[in-house]
Amino acid sequence: MRQYDHPAPETLAMTEVLRALSDPLRLAIVRRLDREGAQTCAALIGERPKSSMSHHFQVLRDAGVIHTRIEGVTHYNTVRRDVLDTRFPGLMDAILIARAD
Amino acid sequence: MRQYDHPAPETLAMTEVLRALSDPLRLAIVRRLDREGAQTCAALIGERPKSSMSHHFQVLRDAGVIHTRIEGVTHYNTVRRDVLDTRFPGLMDAILIARAD
């Protein structure tokens, strides 16, 4: 089954992670994934336009923030916390805990 | 003497701070200011085009990341660490310590 490509941990760039999380909707998605664990794209998209949401998932994936696993027609997303916490210690905690967006 | 406007601490948005720091040059400027203390725009600009650098300073100022004080013809920049550390605990430490841009 086709799967998405995900960047290797050692290639992640801080500036790309910051850029991916600088959008309020993307930040909200990542906060929810971090809090609730794996979520399908369908659950995260809700009533929003699918095309623009696909772009947001792609940005998060390319920056190394989320991992998407394809099972049949369902896409499951998770935050790559272990990878991010190893490469950028303290960053995700500081970003996800803060409530002032 | 005319001075720049700076956003009040309680109005700072996490996403705007992340966006301001998601540019490699802006991040390098902030790291240097944090390490060395107040620096003039002239010292930070170096050989780079002044117009694009003015834009970068403006983005950092508008996001609340730096403060610019005008004295005569000289602009002194500092990182607003106290404000940022109070509003977003741990964020600047995590961003400025990491070396993987």
Side-chain angles (χ1 to χ4, degrees), chain A residues 29-99:
Chain A
I29 289 172
V30 173
R31 283 207 171 115
R32 179 165 166 194
L33 289 175
D34 191 67
R35 196 174 57 237
E36 302 180 7
Q39 297 281 324
T40 64
C41 283
L44 292 164
I45 288 173
E47 302 296 309
R48 300 185 187 91
K50 192 170 176 181
S51 59
S52 71
M53 290 299 284
S54 294
H55 166 73
H56 287 311
F57 287 118
Q58 188 70 45
V59 171
L60 289 168
R61 211 159 33 230
D62 289 349
V65 176
I66 68 169
H67 182 277
T68 306
R69 179 170 48 88
I70 303 176
E71 284 189 24
V73 295
T74 307
H75 292 200
Y76 293 95
N77 301 284
T78 48
V79 180
R80 299 176 72 185
R81 274 307 290 262
D82 287 354
V83 167
L84 293 164
D85 289 348
T86 300
R87 187 143 173 88
F88 309 116
L91 181 67
M92 294 305 285
D93 277 336
I95 291 176
L96 297 180
I97 286 168
R99 297 308 314 169

Side-chain angles (χ1 to χ4, degrees), chain A residues 12-33:
Chain A
L12 300 195
M14 159 80 76
T15 49
E16 289 305 308
V17 172
L18 298 183
R19 190 177 78 82
L21 296 172
S22 70
D23 176 88
L25 178 52
R26 289 198 293 267
L27 181 55
I29 289 172
V30 173
R31 283 207 171 115
R32 179 165 166 194
L33 289 175

Side-chain angles (χ1 to χ4, degrees), chain B:
Chain B
M1 187 176 295
R2 187 179 70 86
Q3 295 290 336
Y4 286 108
D5 286 329
H6 296 87
E10 66 273 17
T11 66
L12 300 196
M14 161 79 78
T15 48
E16 289 304 308
V17 172
L18 299 183
R19 190 177 77 82
L21 295 173
S22 70
D23 176 89
L25 178 53
R26 289 198 293 266
L27 181 56
I29 289 171
V30 172
R31 284 207 170 113
R32 179 166 166 195
L33 289 176
D34 191 67
R35 197 174 56 236
E36 302 181 6
Q39 297 280 324
T40 64
C41 283
L44 293 164
I45 288 173
E47 301 296 309
R48 301 184 187 91
K50 192 169 175 182
S51 59
S52 71
M53 290 298 285
S54 293
H55 166 72
H56 288 311
F57 286 118
Q58 188 69 46
V59 171
L60 289 168
R61 210 159 33 231
D62 288 349
V65 176
I66 68 169
H67 182 278
T68 306
R69 179 170 48 86
I70 303 175
E71 284 189 25
V73 295
T74 306
H75 293 199
Y76 292 95
N77 301 284
T78 48
V79 181
R80 299 177 72 185
R81 276 303 293 260
D82 287 354
V83 167
L84 292 163
D85 289 349
T86 300
R87 187 142 173 87
F88 309 117
L91 180 66
M92 295 305 285
D93 276 337
I95 292 176
L96 297 181
I97 286 168
R99 296 308 315 171
D101 305 332

